[in-house]
Amino acid sequence: MTISHVLKGHEKDLGGGFMVRRYLPSVVKQAVGPFIFFDHFGPVDVKPEDNHDVRPHPHIGLATVTYLFEGAIEHRDSIGSLQRIEPGAINWMTAGSGVVHSERTPKDLVGKPHRTHGLQLWAALPKAHEETDAAFAHTAAEEIPELEVQGAKVRVLIGSAFGRTSPVATFSQTLYLDVQLQEGQELGLSGLPEEAAVYPISGELEIDGTALALHTMALLDTRSSQRVLARSTARFVVIGGEPLDGHRFMLWNFVSSSKERLLQAASDWDAQRFPKVPGETEWIPLPQNTPRAS
């Protein structure tokens, strides 16, 4: 078996009717490599009256990784970053000891019909870097290595594959590929990191003869090579990396190897001790029933 498990995920409303499909963490596997959180949103036609803005919220112990296929997002954070995120770029925000950020519709798209489609992942930081300083890195689409492999179009978003290496800096071995195949094309995957998964964005895929439906994620047995076949024009991502150095605890938007650290972060947010995002005035409370430090 080259597929060890298939994750089906679940839908979640982020507010304002903005639905995402979430695959990680799951009861089967908490993380794939460092990726402890995997949301797929869209493709969705945004109506002029819709408001899908994500108001300022905090993180610790992780890095957010944002990648768009369609649309645009305006990112602001408490270290002063202001970045328009557009399709093809990789945006890596290291939360470390603590950061606050918002994700809003750019002003030129507010009140106008448009489409949005993308992925947001969280990479849990290694224990030695959980309390590193917050940072934000934008890697433009044209800086991402893009190549043709066996007829497939491959973008090496993070990590190294097929002899190319992404300029995106990480804290541990990490792999993130965006692959497009035409109907009938195959791509061989070999030399993958210890943990890896394939997630179809569109189209019909087979992995070594086993069909992989849309809205499912295949966890791979990387001890063998895999061949991914497109039964129709298809697009998929490959994620993975070295396993996390121990279990991670999660509380709301916080990730840590320490339960006590999560409670401290919750208390800090409750008391509004986190840094502010320049230009933002909104503050959202902790979700009801969130534990607090005693």
Side-chain angles (χ1 to χ4, degrees):
M1 284 288 292
T2 57
I3 298 177
S4 59
H5 289 92
V6 174
L7 308 182
K8 293 186 178 180
H10 62 278
E11 288 195 337
K12 185 171 179 62
D13 189 342
L14 296 187
F18 187 51
M19 303 299 296
V20 300
R21 290 177 293 277
R22 182 163 298 167
Y23 298 87
L24 295 173
S26 80
V27 294
V28 172
K29 190 137 177 59
Q30 184 184 39
V32 177
F35 293 116
I36 199 166
F37 183 94
F38 187 110
D39 272 5
H40 180 195
F41 54 91
V44 61
D45 291 306
V46 181
K47 299 185 291 293
E49 65 271 21
D50 290 342
N51 181 0
H52 294 162
D53 284 4
V54 180
R55 296 174 293 167
H57 59 281
H59 294 289
I60 67 164
L62 58 86
T64 64
V65 187
T66 307
Y67 186 64
L68 296 180
F69 302 109
E70 296 180 88
I73 295 173
E74 183 176 272
H75 165 97
R76 290 178 182 265
D77 63 41
S78 54
I79 57 175
S81 309
L82 172 58
Q83 178 65 54
R84 184 185 178 97
I85 300 174
E86 294 187 321
I90 280 286
N91 291 266
W92 176 290
M93 183 185 72
T94 301
S97 59
V99 75
V100 180
H101 75 132
S102 64
E103 298 158 295
R104 297 189 181 274
T105 302
K107 290 181 180 179
D108 61 297
L109 294 179
V110 173
K112 297 179 181 178
H114 60 278
R115 282 172 64 85
T116 186
H117 185 200
L119 300 171
Q120 178 146 112
L121 283 60
W122 294 355
L125 300 177
K127 291 178 182 178
H129 297 283
E130 284 185 313
E131 297 298 325
T132 195
D133 291 341
F136 178 79
H138 170 80
T139 305
E142 58 269 21
E143 300 176 70
I144 299 294
E146 188 173 303
L147 64 156
E148 187 173 298
V149 181
Q150 303 163 30
K153 178 182 175 182
V154 179
R155 304 190 78 231
V156 184
L157 307 181
I158 299 175
S160 298
F162 305 109
R164 302 293 296 276
T165 298
S166 166
V168 176
T170 64
F171 292 87
S172 62
Q173 183 194 24
T174 306
L175 181 67
Y176 192 4
L177 307 178
D178 174 9
V179 181
Q180 295 182 62
L181 289 172
Q182 298 301 311
E183 182 177 358
Q185 286 183 329
E186 283 188 338
L187 178 66
L189 298 176
S190 61
L192 293 173
E194 184 174 344
E195 296 185 348
V198 166
Y199 177 76
I201 301 299
S202 61
E204 300 179 37
L205 296 177
E206 285 184 3
I207 300 179
D208 288 336
T210 300
L212 181 62
L214 278 176
H215 306 157
T216 61
M217 176 182 286
L219 305 183
L220 303 179
D221 180 350
T222 61
R223 292 172 297 182
S224 60
S225 300
Q226 290 83 23
R227 295 202 66 81
V228 182
L229 168 69
R231 302 199 307 196
S232 66
T233 298
R235 187 171 196 170
F236 64 94
V237 295
V238 182
I239 63 168
E242 62 184 288
L244 285 175
D245 53 349
H247 182 79
R248 291 298 187 274
F249 301 100
M250 302 180 71
L251 177 65
W252 191 35
N253 298 311
F254 307 129
V255 171
S256 179
S257 58
S258 162
K259 288 184 178 179
E260 293 72 23
R261 181 66 180 93
L262 294 183
L263 295 175
Q264 182 61 57
S267 294
D268 287 344
W269 181 251
D270 220 13
Q272 300 192 42
R273 288 190 288 263
F274 269 80
K276 308 297 183 185
V277 178
E280 295 277 15
T281 57
E282 290 184 279
W283 180 82
I284 55 175
L286 287 167
Q288 291 185 348
N289 303 319
T290 301
R292 271 72 162 177
S294 56

